[in-house]
Amino acid sequence: MDVGGEIPFVQANGEAVASVNIGVPALNDPNVRQVELFVLKDATAFDCAKLKIANVSTTACQFLTERQEDGLHVFVKRMSGCVLIFR
């Protein structure tokens, strides 16, 4: 999805939204580790703190941005790992 502007998520009155809930069905597949969410055409930076993934624990995900020729790409990456307990 291509989105224009520095602040792409605003209310009808022009005020910024507090948060944006996004469903990413691909993250339900355990084999999918990273999904591109959208491309910001006219942005050089984006605060991903407003993004919330609705179908996956946000503690299990990390948002990433990458500047490319066509704009700023915003990704969500599923974190994986394990906990070792020694006694």
Side-chain angles (χ1 to χ4, degrees):
M1 169 174 37
D2 292 340
V3 182
E6 289 283 333
I7 306 172
F9 304 109
V10 295
Q11 299 176 29
N13 63 5
E15 293 181 23
V17 296
S19 67
V20 177
N21 290 327
I22 301 173
V24 184
L27 290 177
N28 291 329
D29 182 342
N31 296 316
V32 174
R33 295 286 178 223
Q34 184 169 309
V35 176
E36 182 175 283
L37 299 175
F38 48 84
V39 179
L40 299 171
K41 289 294 189 185
D42 301 319
T44 56
F46 178 70
D47 181 9
C48 295
K50 292 186 179 209
L51 299 177
K52 309 288 182 222
I53 301 298
N55 60 311
V56 177
S57 168
T58 53
T59 59
C61 294
Q62 176 184 15
F63 293 99
L64 308 168
T65 59
E66 179 181 302
R67 183 79 180 125
Q68 296 181 16
E69 286 184 23
D70 62 339
L72 187 69
H73 292 245
V74 179
F75 301 89
V76 62
K77 181 178 181 179
R78 182 198 327 247
M79 306 305 290
S80 60
C82 64
V83 175
L84 298 176
I85 299 174
F86 293 97
R87 291 183 181 212

